[in-house]
Amino acid sequence: MPSLLIADDHPLFRAALKQAAREALGRAELHEADTLEHTLAVLESQPQVDLVLLDLHMPGNHGLAGLAAIRAQFPGVAVVVVSANDDPRVVRRALDHGAAGYLPKSAGLEELRAAITAVLACETWLPPALRTSVARAQSAPGDADLAARLASLSPQQFRVLTLVADGLLNKQIADRLGVQERTVKAHLTAIFERLGVRNRTQAGVVLRSLELSDPARQVEA
């Protein structure tokens, strides 16, 4: 029986995704999360999850950083990005960073069913209206290399990187992760080497390069 995690901070949209998943799959094990931290916790506690439907702009997520975190920490889990942003360049970046599919929030239930079915069959899926424009979109310079470098980090190293990007000091990171400070320093040495950076400031910049503007917030503003 397929196992899906619906990661979105809007309850009504999660309900719509659950309905579509049930219609597409019949029997399925469904989990929900409303923040990136909650999403990672569910994946940690539910290793049988096959697919995540991931909102790019849920709390704790900053653009493609959440996608990168899932791909680094849970490489066996497929991710379909769900976003109000349907810019072909953004879709291209999501695919370059390991998304198995991309679904605009304006999509109907039929497209959602098609996306779930295709990705669970180990196929890449895009809505027909976006396929031509995404195929023409050029990858952002360095994105493929960055995705490979991030994917080379261990789960704990990626957690350290995200906390560095949030501005935490080594002692704070150690307290947060329940490890010794020298362990954090060892992780940072490995992170700097794998990302090709010299210090924590440059490492934070690398992760923040994955941030994207949220069209919904722009409308609200």
Side-chain angles (χ1 to χ4, degrees), residues 102-175:
Y102 198 100
L103 190 73
K105 286 197 171 183
S106 58
L109 291 179
E110 187 57 42
E111 285 189 324
L112 180 53
R113 286 194 292 267
I116 293 172
T117 302
V119 172
L120 287 177
C122 299
E123 301 172 4
T124 299
W125 192 89
L126 293 174
L130 285 177
R131 290 172 187 170
T132 299
S133 57
V134 172
R136 292 174 178 169
Q138 294 185 345
S139 296
D143 252 8
D145 178 64
L146 175 56
R149 288 176 182 270
L150 290 172
S152 74
L153 299 178
S154 71
Q156 190 76 324
Q157 288 167 353
F158 199 96
R159 294 185 189 105
V160 170
L161 175 60
T162 58
L163 295 174
V164 165
D166 287 339
L168 272 67
L169 302 176
N170 288 357
K171 186 179 186 307
Q172 294 171 312
I173 294 173
D175 291 343

